[in-house]
Amino acid sequence: MANQEAPRKGFADALIRLGEKHDNLVVLDADCAKSNMTNLYKNRFPERFFNIGISECDLVGTAAGMAVAGKVPFANAYANFLTGRAFDQMRISVCYSNNNVKIVGHNAGTSAAQEGATHLPLEDISLMRSLPRMTVIVPADAVEMEKAVEAAYYHEGPIYLRVGKLPVPIVTKKEEPFKIGKAIKYREGSDITIISTGIMLDESLKAAGELEKQGVSAELLHIHTIKPIDKEAIIVSAAKTKHVITVEEHSIIGGLGSAVAEVLSENQPAKLRRIGTNDRFGVSGKMDELLDLFELRAHRIISTANELLGHRVTS
């Protein structure tokens, strides 16, 4: 079994490392610093940490003001409240004004499972992707999260970074390059393209390996940047395989699946199936239970691949 670590830990580690180098990095939180692990930054740099309270709109507005003053603010809150309640502030004070604010949505996806259905953000990527000038990054694990945080700091402009709370398998490597807007190819293939984002890279790797045993050559692209998406990588792969599956821990409406569908429909038509949460809300439970409930597992990717290729699907 692969080693596991919470993406929020990778986020916190990278933030502290950057804070030691750059005194213009400030961290803001909406009264959930312990859960978000931004308390570690607070302990190290108390003069550069600001608890705005349970007020996501003020959090984003204050961060925008700090950006105007020359700081590089990372504004942290639970993803469901942050992207929902503070959407107007992100639209006007951050994106319209093109301020250099890093919006960090914590407790993302199924990692919020035990906190209740209302706390499950399954629409956050869709909301953030709709905003002009907003870059949207969804790392796969704690290792890639560290690289994403560093890239976010050096990127000039608004960013939305999605951070999970609970431990997930470490499937990326420290030596792998990370560049905003560039996909990473994990497997070469000729029959079908699997495109994953976030923690679904782990299940996609398992599925691709099992498909190979079944005689299906699956190409695997990991898309850590939903916007701007790597159109070239998608087009080249789809032109080769003619069959594409997207896999995300998010609604299939407006997320990775929609982004890939847009690229394909305008540039390289191919047969497409989207795997994610359908048009529904989450429920309470444990993370593994929700991943099972939503069928965000390798077996679904495998059966979808066989169905898309016209193979007889067996149980």
Side-chain angles (χ1 to χ4, degrees), residues 271-308:
K271 290 184 177 181
L272 171 68
R273 295 290 183 274
R274 295 172 296 157
I275 293 176
T277 61
N278 295 323
D279 190 14
R280 61 165 299 171
F281 289 101
V283 296
S284 299
K286 296 180 180 179
M287 185 175 181
D288 282 342
E289 292 173 340
L290 263 63
L291 291 172
D292 290 339
L293 176 68
F294 295 143
E295 291 190 278
L296 300 179
R297 296 296 193 188
H299 68 81
R300 184 179 175 197
I301 303 171
I302 293 165
S303 62
T304 301
N306 280 309
E307 178 268 328
L308 189 57

Side-chain angles (χ1 to χ4, degrees), residues 136-264:
V136 180
I137 304 176
V138 187
D141 56 24
V143 170
E144 188 167 66
M145 182 65 68
E146 292 193 43
K147 291 183 277 189
V149 173
E150 184 165 350
Y153 173 83
Y154 290 111
H155 175 85
E156 185 68 30
I159 279 183
Y160 177 67
L161 180 62
R162 197 182 206 228
V163 182
K165 177 180 181 178
L166 300 179
V168 295
I170 300 293
V171 292
T172 67
K173 296 180 174 61
K174 290 184 178 181
E175 61 269 20
E176 288 172 343
F178 183 98
K179 184 176 181 180
I180 291 175
K182 296 298 292 184
I184 301 174
K185 185 184 292 185
Y186 272 85
R187 293 181 69 110
E188 290 276 357
S190 56
D191 295 327
I192 194 163
T193 300
I194 300 172
I195 303 177
S196 73
T197 193
I199 68 169
M200 288 296 99
L201 175 58
D202 180 45
E203 295 293 329
S204 298
L205 283 165
K206 294 174 183 175
E210 182 58 36
L211 284 167
E212 184 178 25
K213 295 177 184 177
Q214 298 178 11
V216 176
S217 177
E219 184 148 292
L220 176 55
L221 296 180
H222 171 51
I223 302 283
H224 51 63
T225 308
I226 308 295
K227 182 187 177 187
I229 201 162
D230 191 341
K231 293 182 180 180
E232 182 181 2
I234 295 168
I235 293 167
V236 170
S237 187
K240 178 170 54 173
T241 67
K242 307 295 192 298
H243 303 85
V244 178
I245 298 173
T246 59
V247 192
E248 59 192 310
E249 185 209 16
H250 180 272
S251 172
I252 60 171
I253 299 172
L256 173 69
S258 291
V260 171
E262 291 162 13
V263 173
L264 295 177

Side-chain angles (χ1 to χ4, degrees), residues 4-21 25 27 36-42 44-45 74 76 106 141-150 161 163 170 174:
Q4 295 197 351
E5 188 170 296
R8 62 176 173 163
K9 179 62 165 57
F11 171 78
D13 289 345
L15 211 57
I16 291 170
R17 195 161 54 246
L18 284 165
E20 291 172 345
K21 298 178 182 177
L25 195 161
V27 174
N36 296 342
M37 297 186 78
T38 56
N39 62 331
L40 300 179
Y41 190 90
K42 174 186 177 181
R44 181 70 179 81
F45 309 104
F74 280 71
N76 301 263
H106 290 263
D141 56 24
V143 170
E144 188 167 66
M145 182 65 68
E146 292 193 43
K147 291 183 277 189
V149 173
E150 184 165 350
L161 180 62
V163 182
I170 300 293
K174 290 184 178 181

